[in-house]
Structure formats: structure tokens, C-alpha cells
Amino acid sequence: MAPSVLSKVLAPSQPFPLWCQDPSWHPSPVLCPTDGLGASLVHSLYLLSSGVKDGSWTVLQLVEALGSCLESTDPRTRGRGIQLLSQVLLQCYSLLQEKEVLHLVLFYENRLQDHHLVIPSVLQGLRALSMCEVLSSGLSVSVLKAIFQEVHVQSLLQLDRHTVYSIITNFMSTREEELKGLGADFTFGFIQVMDGEKDPRNLLVAFQIVRDLIAKNYALGPFVEELFEVTSCYFPIDFTPPPNDPHGIQREDLILSLRAVLTSTPQFAEFLLPLLIEKMDSDLQSAKLDSLQTLTACCAIYGQKELQEFLPSLWSSLRREVFQTASEKVEAECLAALHALSACLSRSVLSSDTEDLLDSFLSSILQDCRHHLCEPDMKLVWPSAKLLQAVAGASLRAYHHVTRSVLPLLLEQYSKHSQSSQRRTILEMLLGFLELQQKWGHVEEDESTLLSLRAPVCSVVFSALTDPSVQLQLVGIRALTVLGSLQGFLSPSDLELVVDHLIHLALREEDSQSSEAAMEAAGSLAPVYPKVFSGRMVPRLEEELQSEREQESSRDHCSLRQRCLQALAAVSTHTSIVRETVPVLLQHLWKVHKGSEAGNAQDIVSVCQSLHRVALQCQQDAEGCWYYHQTVVPCLLAMAVQAAMQESTHSLLGKALLEEEVLAAMVPVISAATTHLSPELAAQSVSHVVPLFLDGEVSFLPQNSFPCSFQPFEDGECLEAQRRLVALLMALVCSLPRNVAIPQQERLLRELLALSCSCDCPFTATTAAKCFAGLVNKHPAGQQLDEILQLAVNRMEPSLAEGPRRTQALTLLLWVTKALVLRYHPLSSHLTDKLLGLLGDAELGPAVADGFSLLMAKSPDVLHKGCHADVRIMFRQRFFTDNVPKLVQGFYKADPDVKANYLKGLSHVLNHLPKPVLVTELPTLLSLLLEALSCSDHVVQLSTLSCLQPLLLEAPQIMSLHIDTLVTKFLSLTSSPTMAVRIAALRCAHALTSLPTTVLLPYKARVIRALAKPLDDKKRLVRKEAVAARGEWFLLGSPGR
Amino acid sequence: MVGPGPGPGGGAPLENANPLIYRRSGERPVTAREEDDELPDTIDDREIFDLIRSINDPEHPLTLEELNVVEQVRVKVNDAESTVAVEFTPTIPHCSMATLIGLSIKVKLLRSLPERFKLDVHITPGTHASEHAVNKQLADKERVAAALENSHLLEVVNQCLSARS
């Protein structure tokens, strides 16, 4: 077989075949079979190599068969022979015998002196041999020597150069010891190989080889500088990948690869540091950034010795950049580099006779920066402070050195300057240094400057707290928080003062920002000093809450009470404090509830808001959470039940506790108290609450002697008040973890269903529907669920068709649909179709259209992740794909007077869709959206505009096609009677400027003229948008944009 | 040692390298009245000040507000009579950028205010060496128009008016 195959391949009349069989390298089409003949050659090669592989003949036989060809005087024929041999070897190198390899290596080394046409194939053969495991020792060295000596690598083609790098890489990974035997000659040989390399693909490999040379301790000998030169000449990398580059090499790849080389050894320091100093001064921002990042990286391995000589120039370059730059990025990189330098110097181990460079380095920085700190109004004050903070943050030693000099200075400056704005700047700088101290944890007794300055620091911070300037107060509060978090810094008497200040600010400070900040500070310090806060702050707040001050006007009193409630909630960040504050809040709730004032609904709501905040704060702590649940939930239920009873006996109207607003405020309290309970405790709680509602089982409530029975699901005129409490039931049962079984669930579901369909009060009906939906969403799939859903559908359908309770039926339909859409239940598509059908209904259509927003939006109280509902992450996309085509179809078929309903439904769906999804779906919908702009309904206009605005920014190419329509519609909507539409239209007109300038220029004059009118709009917010949009249009196509 | 590098204003060293800087006033809080669709809001001093306070200084990476070149107290507007008067204060009396700053303010107002307004932009009396000459140039409509025909000047003005990236 063999001779015939060979003669076919090697017949001189055939064109020179070129192909590449190595799947790892397929760079250019020239190397692939280009015609039918190529394919047959590949086939022949396959036959030959499989012959070698299955042992039917040996490589020796192959060489013999190729003999005449390999010895031919025509270099092309020789080339073809060697090429074939090399290709076979590339496939069979693992099967070769040691002796065969020896002969082949000698043959190939010899061929390196051959004609240049032959060299590429020779290198391929050597690459195959370099992968042989049986290569005898010494051969790798001789191959490399031969290559270094005979081949001028940089005059080869890119692919062949790559082959050389591969041979070197192969040997380095398997023959490390032998190569090291070559000593520095190997390094020198490689330097010559890569000198002048231009191709990014090869550079990545070459850089990796240099990294290995250094990392694996090859001898560099006298060639350190040469090795540095041959790599550093690429710094900073200037490379832009060509468009449609198939290799996917990015600028960043080369930058990181080269940086790894340059920062791989301290031996390069004396060459690298001057280079970096020079490039930091470059006009190119990218070069600056690369230099700074490289400096930061090399500090990780350098020591004092490497840096010593260059510290003054490095510092002056960094200082210059920070003082002069306009770019935050450059500033940030400079500060990072300075930080790294300081860390490097702090880390160095000193021998006894060297001076500590850190000290002199820090001293020179202090000398250059200190005086700027004394000029709090000048431009350089902040850059100086940042430089000092960057060095101080690097080590505890550096921190002490810097603060020893800076803290006393800042304290002195604070007292020298009396203006609030100057004091604020100084205190902000001080705060920066205090925050650094936090990094080192506790304050050390012996060395700390801060500790020795405790009294003046505290007095400065306290004086800021009492300053009339709110801005200064805010910084003071932040500083206080930091001081408090330093373990052992504040003395007990300071601490009491801190608490007093916080109470004063929280309650008395007129500015709400300061008051809120003080409450936040109390909240973050309370877990550190729970005793102080529960012993000092909580009683004071309680006292203020209860006191009835006659002399103050009722409005002041009211706001003081509000503040007390907020502060009580804010400070409840520790379990022991929660146990103090919750009873205070509940007691206050009882008091307000008993109070006869008519307008106390707002007061109850405030208490509920505070209770809610406390609930959120103790969710993570299992014990606190259970305490809270046990204390608060029965109490709220008892109060509500009692109120509902009184109402049914005395029919007293206007009980604040039963107002919708108040019940709605209690819902999140109960919900937050329930979501994080463990399943056992949650089950315990629900086993009391469900019988309360179903059977009037009131025994677990505190103060449970009621005048009549509690039966919210019974029929009866006078029970309306009791039914409203379904909201509280919903808050509890819909927030339970999914694995908690609800007692009598089927009965409960039936009652809720009946209530939602039959009740005339919209609040109660809606709440019952939500509760039903919340339970259905978590109900395990199966026959029971199917039955209850069927029951619901049977009740809804006739009511939806006609009758007095169509609205209630629609509400139930919407909520049940939402519950099922969220969990991908099969029935959801049936229900959604029902809704789509109702869009055309003259009476219900608009309500259905609005209902689409309910379906897509996150509901605040039920059916969201937080209350353990079954929510699939992609439900919006799925709803979109399933239903938008139907909506669009419905729109085209609908009567003109109901078309708006479809558009409105569509805009709600689009509004809630993630923007990336929207952009991909845009082409199909754009024409409809453009039509929607002409719709007269301002809700549709508004949501369409808010859909289009991000699309203008993200998909300018597609939008450009419709520029004419867009300009016309946007401009006409800028005179809409609705302010929100005018604003949105102007924002869209502004966003238009991100389309390609050439598309826009024909419209520039027209748009600028048209936007002159909204400049004189009667509303300021509209004028603001008009100014922004018009200004941007003026800049279009103008120099200096 | 390395000398001062090229500043943002070109190769020359800055005229005033470490100027006094002032705090920016925050965004104007939106009031309930402003959100009411029905009630008209008049154009007031603060609104005009908001238009010009974020103009970039031609030399520093700072705004005119931060350099205290413009202040709200030096802005006077009368919506009913459609007049606006703005005084600006160069950072140093020999500031060579005064005309350019005045031009930027003027152009910003021309682009942002309804046409009915009559604009008057001038230097705060007694704060610049060639105050009179600069004021005269800024008041001359034709010279302002001619300046904006000059593409180099227009480029610098546009840079001052571009939103900072």
C-alpha cells in the first residue's frame, strides 16, 4: 500500500501541497486544503499515519520510502518530502522508539542548514520530536543550540516563529534540568530569538517564556538588562485589535502579560523604575495608568534596596499627578501606587546598619503636604489629604508616623479656623484618618497618637455636633460613629456624652438630615454599647414620648413624638435593646388607640412604621425574631379584634384602627415578623391564628374577654368591620415559609374565595383575593390545588360575564392569574387569555389594561420572594413571549375606541421587562410603539416614552431608521398638557443626541427652534429638561463637543 | 526633578495653580409646588444660577461655582420684565480668561433662556484690570456673534459648556 500512496503524494507534477493538521493552530486559510487534491492528500496522510500507528509499518520504512525524495536536488521536492514526514510525526510522535527519535533528531538538525524553503517543515518536525517522551537526554540542548545557531527566527513567517516558541516551551516544560545546564547561553539564545517580535499572538507566548525563565530560576547571567530591554521595549503596550480579529487577543491581555514579565523579578528594578517614572509623564492617559498599575504591581515583590534610589523621583511624579490631574482614574491609581510603595517600605526587613527608608520617605511627603492642610479653602487641600491618607493606610507604622504629625496639626487648624465650611473640610480630613485607625482594630495602648489626643479629638467632634451648620454636624456625626466603633477609645463619661448628643440631635435638631444621621449613628453604635443605649437612651425616649407638654404647640409636639418613635426604632439594633423598645412602642400604640382624638390614624401608622423597622432589624437573629413575633403579633391582633367588636356592638364609626391606611401599615409589621421564623415556630403561631379567624378562637390573645364572638367569615351586616381584619390574616399566612402546613387550608381557601366574590367593600374583597392568591401560589401541585382552582374559575366566570360584582371578579381573576403566572402553572395561560379577551370590554377594558401592571410589577405585601412565594426568575420574559404577540394582534383587530387598552397593557408589560431583553425584541415592536406615541391617553404616552428613552441610548442603529417619526412625535409631545409627558418627551429629545451625528444634523435647526418654546414652559422641571436637551443639540456637529 | 507637566489648559503652566475653591451648592430640591401640574413657577435667581454654575473653567477641572466666579447673589432676574443681569468675578485681576468666561456665560444663557429675555453679562465692578473693555465686548451683539463664527473660540466655549464626563 505504502509505495502507491507515496508516489501519488510525491509526484513532482503536483502542486506543492500546504496544509495544517494540527488542530491547535489554524490561523490562516492558506494552510488548509484549498482544492480537491488537498482533500485527497489529507486522506493519504491519514492512511500513512494510521499505518504507523497500527504498526503495519515503521517510521524507518517511511523514511526509506521517501528516500529519493529527501535526497532530491530540487529544494521543493525535498521540502515536500520533509513536510510529509513532519506531518506524520506530528500525529505519531508518541509511538516513536528512542533510537528512531535519535536518528530523526540528527536528521532534522542537519536539515536546519538546508534551503530556506525547507525550514518551516523542518521546524514542524522538530516540534513533533520536542513532544516525544523518549527523547534521550542531551538532545533537547542540541536541538536548541542548532536552532539558535542556524535559524534567523525573526526572518521567518509568523506561524514558523510560533513553531520555534512552541519547541522552546515544550522543552522548558519537560527538560528543565537539561536546559538549565546550558546556563546563561539559553537565555541569550532566547533573547535573540524573540528580539524584534511584532505579532501579538507570538508575543503572548514569548512573554510567557520569559516569565517561566524568571520564575523557574534559569540562569540570566550577564543578560538581565538584555532580557529586560527585549521585553520592556513593548511598554506601554500600544495595540488595537483589528476589526473582526479571529484570534480574540485584546490590548488588556498583552498589557497584563507584559506586566507580569516586568514585575517578575527585583533584578529588573534598576531598569524598570526609571522607565515607569518617564512614562508617568506621558501625555497619553493609558500610558500613565499602565505605568502606575505596573508600579503598584512591582511594589509587591520589591524591597527597600530596589526602591531606595528612585524614591524622590517617584514621589515627585506621583505628587505632580495628584496635584494636577483632572482625571479621577489617574488620581486613584496614583494613590494606589503610593499606598503600595508605603506598604513595601513598611514591610522591608532592615539590617542593623541601614537607615529606615520609610521614615525619610514619609518625612518628605509630610513636608510637601502638611502646609496645604492649613489652607482648607484652597484647591490642593484635598489632594494633599488623600496622599497622606494613602501612605498612612499602608501599615500601622506608617499610620503612626503620619498621624503623629498630622492629627495635632488638624486639631490646631480646627480651632484656628472659625468658619463652618472650613471646619467641615478639616473635620472631614480628620475623619479620613480616624477611619484608617478602624482598619487596625483596637487602639494600642502604648504607641497610639490617637489615644493621647482623646480629649482634644472628642472636644472637636462634640463642638461640630453643636455647630449651627448642618453640614458640619453631619460630618461630626460620622466622626462620632467611627470613634465609637474603636474599641476602648471612648471613656464611659465620653460615652454618656455621646448618647446625650445623639438624643439631642435626634429629637431637637430642626434639620431632618442631621436628625436622621444621628438616629443612624445610634443604630450602628447600639450593638457595641447595648447597656449604655438601653440604660440611657431608651428611658429618655420613653419619657419624651409620654410627656404631655402644654406649653408647646401641638404641631411641635407631634413632630417630637414622631422623632421619638423613629429613634426608638433606629436604636433597636441589639436583642437586649429590642426587648426594651418593643414594649414601649406597644404601650404607646395602646395609648393612641384608646385616645379619643379622631385624627390619630396617622399616629398609629407612625408606630407601625417604627415597629416594622424594628422587625426588619431583628430578622437575622432567631431569638430576637421569635421574641418579637410572640410579643407584637398577638398584641396587634388583640387590638384590632377588640376594635372590630366594639364597632359591631356600638356601631361607632371612625375607629382609627380599622381604617384601610392603618391596616395597610400593620400588614408589613406582621409580615416582617413572620418571614424569618423557623418552620416549627411559624407552625406554632399559625395554629393559633387560623382558628381565630375560622372559629373565633380568641383564647391566645392578651386581654381576651370580648363582648361578642369573632366570626369574620360569617354572613351579616354588622360583621363588616370584622371582615376587614382579613388583611392581618393575609399578612401572616402569606408570609410563612413554604414548608409550613396551614391548618384547615382547604376550608380557609373556600371562605376566602367566597368573601372575595361576595363582599361589597373593595378593600375587603381585594384583600381576600390577595390572600387567596398568596396561598394558591404556594399550594403544592396536585388534585387538591386543581379542585380549588376549578372552584375559583367556576365562581369567577359567571360574575365576570354580567352582574353587579364584575369588578370584584376581575380583581380576583387578576390576583389568581398573577399567582399562577409566577409559578408557571399550566392554568395561567387560560386565565391570561381571559384577561386579553376582556381588554376589548367597554366597561372593564381600562381596568384590565391597568391590571397588566399588577401582573408584572412586584407586589409590596404578597407574592414576592421575600415572603417565600414561588417566583420563577424569568416569568416576565415568559409572559412577554407568550402574550405580546396576542396583544399586538388584539390591537390591530380591536375597535378604535378600545385600542388604547391594548396599547396600555402592552406598555405596562414593556415597562417591567429588563432592558436588554427589550432591546432584542425591539424591531418587531417598534412600529407599534411609534403608533402608541400618537395615542391620546397620557399614561400610554408616558410609558411609551419611558420605553423609548433607554432604547435610544442602547440601540441607536435601529432607532436611526425612524429618526423622522421620532423627531416629529417627540417635538409635538413637548407641548402636551401633562407635565410628566412634556418632561419625558424632552428627555427623549435629549436622548436622540446619542444617535449618530450624521443622522441628526439635518434636524438640528428644526429641533433647536422647536425646543425654544419649552424653555419658556410654566413649569420649572420642564424648563430644566428643555435646557439640557437644547444645550446638547447645540453641541451636535460643533467643534469641542 | 521633573518640572510641572502639561496642565489641562495646554502646555503653559497655570496662571493660578492653587486657587481658592468653594463648595458646590447641592441640586435644588424639588418642591411639592413644582410637581403640581397647574401652578406656574416663575424664573428666579436660583434657576438662572443653576444654568451657569456648572460651566467648566477653561483652565481648571473645576466649575465656575467652585471657583466662586459666579455667585447666586450676583444674579438678578426679573421674569415679568424679561431681564437677566449676571455679574462674574475673575479669580485674579489679570485673568486672561475673563472674556472667554464671560462669553461662555453669555452663550449658555442665550441657548437656555426664552428669546424674550434681555441679557446683561458683565464683570463685578472693580475686580478686573480691563473690566471696561471686556464688558464692552460682551455687550456687543455683533462681536459676540462674530466670536462664535471663529471655530477655535467656539470649540473652547463648547468645551466649557459640555457636561463633564
Side-chain angles (χ1 to χ4, degrees):
Chain A
M1 174 191 87
S4 68
V5 173
L6 279 177
S7 65
K8 190 177 170 200
V9 175
L10 299 168
S13 61
Q14 287 171 354
F16 188 66
L18 279 169
W19 69 88
C20 179
Q21 266 308 98
D22 181 0
S24 68
W25 192 254
H26 249 290
S28 79
V30 190
L31 293 148
C32 297
T34 50
D35 49 23
L37 191 69
S40 79
L41 276 169
V42 171
H43 182 66
S44 318
L45 178 64
Y46 170 76
L47 292 178
L48 287 171
S49 50
S50 53
V52 175
K53 271 185 207 161
D54 64 21
S56 59
W57 45 309
T58 64
V59 176
L60 186 63
Q61 281 171 309
L62 175 63
V63 174
E64 279 170 357
L66 282 168
S68 64
C69 172
L70 295 177
E71 289 165 11
S72 161
T73 50
D74 174 22
R76 288 169 162 270
T77 313
R78 281 205 308 283
R80 229 174 297 142
I82 294 176
Q83 187 182 22
L84 187 75
L85 181 63
S86 299
Q87 295 300 334
V88 172
L89 290 178
L90 276 172
Q91 301 204 359
C92 314
Y93 61 86
S94 56
L95 302 168
L96 298 178
Q97 305 293 318
E98 187 176 345
K99 195 144 192 190
E100 289 173 331
V101 175
L102 175 66
H103 288 294
L104 285 166
V105 166
L106 291 178
F107 167 72
Y108 273 108
E109 275 180 13
N110 182 259
R111 286 301 94 198
L112 280 172
Q113 299 167 355
D114 204 338
H115 193 272
H116 70 89
L117 279 177
V118 180
I119 299 296
S121 308
V122 175
L123 290 171
Q124 287 295 334
L126 284 171
R127 185 164 74 89
L129 295 169
S130 73
M131 293 186 279
C132 283
E133 282 173 27
V134 295
L135 192 77
S136 337
S137 66
L139 284 183
S140 58
V141 170
S142 103
V143 168
L144 285 177
K145 272 186 170 164
I147 290 178
F148 292 160
Q149 196 174 342
E150 306 295 344
V151 186
H152 185 243
V153 177
Q154 289 305 322
S155 57
L156 299 173
L157 291 176
Q158 183 268 331
L159 174 66
D160 303 322
R161 299 201 302 274
H162 193 272
T163 310
V164 175
Y165 296 123
S166 304
I167 295 170
I168 297 175
T169 310
N170 290 339
F171 282 145
M172 283 176 76
S173 61
T174 55
R175 317 270 154 183
E176 188 178 329
E177 287 313 312
E178 293 175 37
L179 264 47
K180 281 184 175 167
L182 264 177
D185 287 350
F186 175 57
T187 310
F188 182 66
F190 176 72
I191 291 172
Q192 285 186 316
V193 165
M194 84 164 283
D195 193 2
E197 180 59 65
K198 285 257 166 31
D199 189 277
R201 292 165 287 182
N202 289 351
L203 277 175
L204 283 181
V205 188
F207 289 157
Q208 183 60 47
I209 294 176
V210 181
R211 267 158 79 182
D212 287 344
L213 279 178
I214 294 165
K216 297 190 175 152
N217 277 321
Y218 283 81
L220 304 185
F223 304 114
V224 176
E225 186 167 2
E226 278 78 2
L227 190 62
F228 177 77
E229 290 296 335
V230 84
T231 46
S232 68
C233 61
Y234 301 99
F235 183 86
I237 295 278
D238 179 22
F239 166 67
T240 320
N244 310 321
D245 176 32
H247 310 293
I249 295 178
Q250 296 298 314
R251 203 181 118 86
E252 200 60 19
D253 301 330
L254 285 164
I255 288 181
L256 292 178
S257 177
L258 176 58
R259 185 175 303 154
V261 170
L262 296 179
T263 60
S264 58
T265 170
Q267 294 183 73
F268 284 165
E270 55 177 318
F271 317 113
L272 178 61
L273 290 172
L275 179 69
L276 294 179
I277 291 168
E278 181 197 325
K279 296 296 177 193
M280 263 186 242
D281 200 14
S282 164
D283 285 338
L284 280 178
Q285 175 156 328
S286 61
K288 260 190 216 272
L289 291 174
D290 197 359
S291 309
L292 290 164
Q293 286 163 352
T294 307
L295 177 60
T296 308
C298 62
C299 284
I301 59 154
Y302 286 1
Q304 187 142 298
K305 182 163 74 69
E306 284 76 23
L307 292 174
Q308 180 159 25
E309 189 187 337
F310 303 99
L311 279 176
S313 334
L314 282 170
W315 161 238
S316 82
S317 295
L318 289 170
R319 184 192 54 197
R320 182 195 65 221
E321 290 306 321
V322 173
F323 279 177
Q324 294 197 353
T325 188
S327 150
E328 283 182 22
K329 235 173 167 177
V330 171
E331 185 190 84
E333 292 299 342
C334 282
L335 295 175
L338 192 61
H339 180 94
L341 278 174
S342 170
C344 176
L345 293 175
S346 312
R347 201 174 48 226
S348 294
V349 182
L350 296 180
S351 57
S352 55
D353 53 344
T354 49
E355 63 156 340
D356 185 359
L357 281 182
L358 181 67
D359 280 338
S360 56
F361 183 58
L362 293 177
S363 301
S364 65
I365 294 177
L366 278 167
Q367 196 189 350
D368 288 345
C369 292
R370 242 181 87 105
H371 59 276
H372 290 305
L373 301 185
C374 308
E375 305 163 329
D377 288 331
M378 308 293 261
K379 185 187 160 197
L380 294 183
V381 64
W382 270 112
S384 302
K386 285 179 187 168
L387 286 167
L388 286 170
Q389 285 165 3
V391 282
S395 73
L396 191 55
R397 207 145 58 89
Y399 180 77
H400 285 318
H401 188 115
V402 173
T403 48
R404 210 163 33 233
S405 153
V406 169
L407 288 187
L409 178 74
L410 288 176
L411 292 171
E412 180 196 313
Q413 291 299 316
Y414 187 90
S415 50
K416 260 193 196 160
H417 292 89
S418 54
Q419 280 182 30
S420 300
S421 65
Q422 296 168 331
R423 288 189 153 192
R424 175 182 158 183
T425 304
I426 296 168
L427 190 59
E428 274 181 334
M429 291 191 280
L430 186 67
L431 176 64
F433 286 102
L434 295 178
E435 279 168 348
L436 289 177
Q437 171 84 55
Q438 266 181 315
K439 232 169 105 171
W440 317 117
H442 59 99
V443 187
E444 272 177 46
E445 293 293 329
D446 47 349
E447 239 189 311
S448 170
T449 330
L450 191 55
L451 210 55
S452 65
L453 293 172
R454 176 162 64 196
V457 167
C458 284
S459 87
V460 159
V461 172
F462 290 149
S463 92
L465 295 179
T466 50
D467 194 274
S469 153
V470 174
Q471 299 305 323
L472 184 53
Q473 281 177 11
L474 289 174
V475 185
I477 294 169
R478 275 164 59 205
L480 200 62
T481 316
V482 175
L483 289 181
S485 67
L486 297 174
Q487 287 279 325
F489 180 76
L490 293 173
S491 69
S493 61
D494 285 338
L495 209 51
E496 286 180 1
L497 211 53
V498 166
V499 174
D500 291 347
H501 273 296
L502 288 179
I503 296 173
H504 183 84
L505 284 168
L507 300 185
R508 308 282 167 194
E509 174 54 44
E510 273 177 33
D511 188 273
S512 61
Q513 262 181 305
S514 285
S515 158
E516 276 164 30
M519 292 185 200
E520 287 306 319
S524 56
L525 289 180
V528 189
Y529 311 101
K531 285 220 175 82
V532 184
F533 278 88
S534 65
R536 198 167 176 93
M537 188 156 182
V538 178
R540 276 283 300 282
L541 293 172
E542 185 180 2
E543 195 182 306
E544 292 283 354
L545 198 57
Q546 287 167 347
S547 70
E548 301 286 346
R549 285 170 203 243
E550 296 300 322
Q551 66 271 37
E552 281 177 275
S553 72
S554 68
R555 211 175 127 231
D556 282 347
H557 189 201
C558 186
S559 79
L560 179 65
R561 260 202 322 240
Q562 285 278 352
R563 291 269 183 95
C564 283
L565 291 173
Q566 287 166 1
L568 278 169
V571 80
S572 307
T573 45
H574 187 271
T575 318
S576 70
I577 302 176
V578 170
R579 283 171 194 269
E580 308 270 340
T581 53
V582 164
V584 175
L585 287 169
L586 288 178
Q587 199 189 354
H588 186 67
L589 190 60
W590 273 109
K591 201 179 112 194
V592 178
H593 166 53
K594 291 261 161 51
S596 51
E597 299 158 55
N600 60 2
Q602 194 48 50
D603 289 342
I604 303 182
V605 170
S606 317
V607 183
C608 288
Q609 282 164 347
S610 288
L611 281 170
H612 182 223
R613 179 162 176 187
V614 179
L616 294 177
Q617 281 164 186
C618 58
Q619 273 177 345
Q620 298 311 324
D621 165 41
E623 195 198 337
C625 188
W626 178 234
Y627 163 78
Y628 184 91
H629 185 93
Q630 262 183 320
T631 320
V632 174
V633 173
C635 180
L636 289 183
L637 283 172
M639 279 157 70
V641 168
Q642 196 188 36
M645 303 273 193
Q646 280 171 359
E647 185 136 350
S648 43
T649 47
H650 306 293
S651 73
L652 263 173
L653 283 170
K655 249 309 175 205
L657 210 61
L658 298 177
E659 283 177 24
E660 280 174 30
E661 172 192 20
V662 174
L663 288 173
M666 287 184 177
V667 168
V669 179
I670 297 182
S671 177
T674 310
T675 49
H676 283 63
L677 285 183
S678 70
E680 301 76 48
L681 296 175
Q684 192 183 329
S685 175
V686 75
S687 69
H688 293 304
V689 174
V690 171
L692 168 70
F693 279 83
L694 286 178
D695 310 315
E697 198 56 63
V698 293
S699 58
F700 84 102
L701 299 177
Q703 309 177 353
N704 54 10
S705 56
F706 299 113
C708 59
S709 61
F710 181 62
Q711 39 201 190
F713 288 117
E714 295 289 310
D715 281 336
E717 284 291 307
C718 59
L719 296 176
E720 181 48 44
Q722 298 191 2
R723 286 189 206 119
R724 300 167 78 85
L725 302 195
V726 170
L728 305 184
L729 175 69
M730 173 192 83
L732 195 117
V733 295
C734 291
S735 307
L736 293 170
R738 245 183 280 173
N739 53 359
V740 174
I742 294 167
Q744 309 181 63
Q745 183 163 9
E746 305 315 309
R747 186 177 152 209
L748 184 62
L749 282 168
R750 277 163 213 269
E751 297 284 12
L752 286 167
L753 186 59
L755 185 60
S756 72
C757 289
S758 62
C759 185
D760 286 322
C761 164
F763 175 78
T764 311
T766 308
T767 313
K770 279 158 86 170
C771 189
F772 181 77
L775 292 175
V776 160
N777 174 268
K778 292 186 209 173
H779 198 295
Q783 201 196 345
Q784 272 188 334
L785 178 64
D786 295 344
E787 277 174 23
I788 195 77
L789 285 175
Q790 196 51 51
L791 199 66
V793 172
N794 292 346
R795 273 206 87 137
M796 276 187 289
E797 283 189 342
S799 313
L800 273 175
E802 54 179 357
R805 301 220 163 87
R806 291 188 82 191
T807 324
Q808 280 94 323
L810 175 62
T811 309
L812 181 62
L813 174 61
L814 280 168
W815 281 102
V816 174
T817 311
K818 182 174 170 82
L820 299 184
V821 163
L822 290 180
R823 63 181 279 184
Y824 291 1
H825 191 277
L827 191 64
S828 65
S829 62
H830 171 71
L831 297 181
T832 328
D833 287 346
K834 187 109 202 124
L835 284 172
L836 287 168
L838 283 169
L839 275 175
D841 186 289
E843 188 193 346
L844 291 181
V848 178
D850 286 333
F852 274 84
S853 107
L854 186 151
L855 290 182
M856 302 305 285
K858 184 185 161 195
S859 137
D861 40 12
V862 290
L863 291 175
H864 59 85
K865 275 259 152 96
C867 62
H868 310 288
D870 186 354
V871 182
R872 305 296 179 89
I873 44 170
M874 303 286 270
F875 82 91
R876 291 193 178 88
Q877 284 90 320
R878 188 169 154 147
F879 188 85
F880 174 87
T881 345
D882 289 352
N883 297 301
V884 163
K886 295 181 196 165
L887 267 170
V888 173
Q889 218 178 2
F891 169 79
Y892 287 117
K893 282 190 191 154
D895 293 338
D897 46 339
V898 292
K899 269 187 191 295
N901 296 341
Y902 289 86
L903 284 177
K904 207 169 184 178
L906 180 68
S907 9
H908 284 311
V909 177
L910 295 182
N911 256 340
H912 289 95
L913 207 62
K915 293 300 172 221
V917 182
L918 198 53
V919 172
T920 57
E921 299 295 337
L922 175 72
T924 49
L925 287 173
L926 196 55
S927 61
L928 195 65
L929 286 175
L930 294 178
E931 201 154 338
L933 282 180
S934 316
C935 175
S936 60
D937 184 325
H938 70 88
V939 175
V940 175
Q941 288 170 352
L942 198 57
S943 76
T944 311
L945 288 170
S946 59
C947 261
L948 287 173
Q949 200 227 4
L951 291 177
L952 287 165
L953 303 174
E954 283 159 36
Q957 298 304 333
I958 309 170
M959 300 303 270
S960 298
L961 304 174
H962 302 274
I963 177 73
D964 199 66
T965 323
L966 291 170
V967 168
T968 312
K969 302 275 186 192
F970 292 159
L971 291 182
S972 85
L973 286 174
T974 58
S975 47
S976 153
T978 315
M979 172 168 74
V981 174
R982 294 202 298 276
I983 290 177
L986 286 165
R987 285 191 181 148
C988 283
H990 189 170
L992 274 178
T993 56
S994 60
L995 301 190
T997 311
T998 44
V999 176
L1000 298 173
L1001 279 181
Y1003 298 91
K1004 181 173 171 178
R1006 177 178 157 201
V1007 173
I1008 285 178
R1009 217 167 34 243
L1011 291 181
K1013 195 174 153 246
L1015 288 181
D1016 212 2
D1017 198 282
K1018 66 176 176 177
K1019 297 306 297 176
R1020 182 170 296 130
L1021 296 174
V1022 178
R1023 295 197 292 263
K1024 195 175 149 199
E1025 298 297 336
V1027 166
R1030 196 165 189 253
E1032 212 49 51
W1033 274 89
F1034 261 108
L1035 294 178
L1036 279 177
S1038 191
R1041 188 195 183 191
Chain B
M1 287 289 282
V2 196
L14 302 179
E15 277 183 5
N16 185 3
N18 186 13
L20 267 170
I21 52 171
Y22 294 79
R23 205 162 285 284
R24 286 197 296 270
S25 39
E27 285 289 303
R28 181 180 192 153
V30 177
T31 61
R33 184 196 152 88
E34 284 175 348
E35 282 172 341
D36 188 318
D37 226 334
E38 301 306 317
L39 305 168
D41 314 313
T42 52
I43 296 181
D44 58 13
D45 294 353
R46 171 71 200 247
E47 188 170 339
I48 302 295
F49 180 64
D50 277 339
L51 292 176
I52 55 174
R53 71 191 179 93
S54 56
I55 297 177
N56 302 320
D57 181 84
E59 271 198 327
H60 293 283
L62 296 167
T63 62
L64 296 189
E65 181 187 20
E66 285 167 312
L67 292 168
N68 216 34
V69 172
V70 293
E71 293 164 274
Q72 193 175 333
V73 292
R74 303 195 183 280
V75 173
K76 293 279 172 282
V77 60
N78 187 327
D79 196 8
E81 292 172 17
S82 301
T83 56
V84 169
V86 173
E87 285 180 351
F88 67 100
T89 318
T91 50
I92 45 176
H94 293 282
C95 180
S96 60
M97 298 286 167
T99 320
L100 195 56
I101 293 173
L103 192 61
S104 300
I105 297 174
K106 183 121 190 182
V107 171
K108 176 73 187 183
L109 292 177
L110 282 171
R111 290 177 182 179
S112 312
L113 284 176
E115 271 177 291
R116 63 187 166 91
F117 277 92
K118 186 176 178 311
L119 305 179
D120 173 23
V121 175
H122 58 267
I123 292 183
T124 313
T127 61
H128 196 267
S130 37
E131 179 187 329
H132 182 64
V134 174
N135 287 346
K136 202 170 154 192
Q137 283 195 50
L138 289 174
D140 186 336
K141 264 189 196 164
E142 282 170 15
R143 291 178 76 167
V144 170
L148 295 180
E149 296 290 315
N150 175 334
S151 76
H152 175 68
L153 262 179
L154 183 60
E155 180 178 348
V156 183
V157 168
N158 279 342
Q159 274 164 359
C160 294
L161 300 187
S162 295
R164 207 181 307 155
S165 51

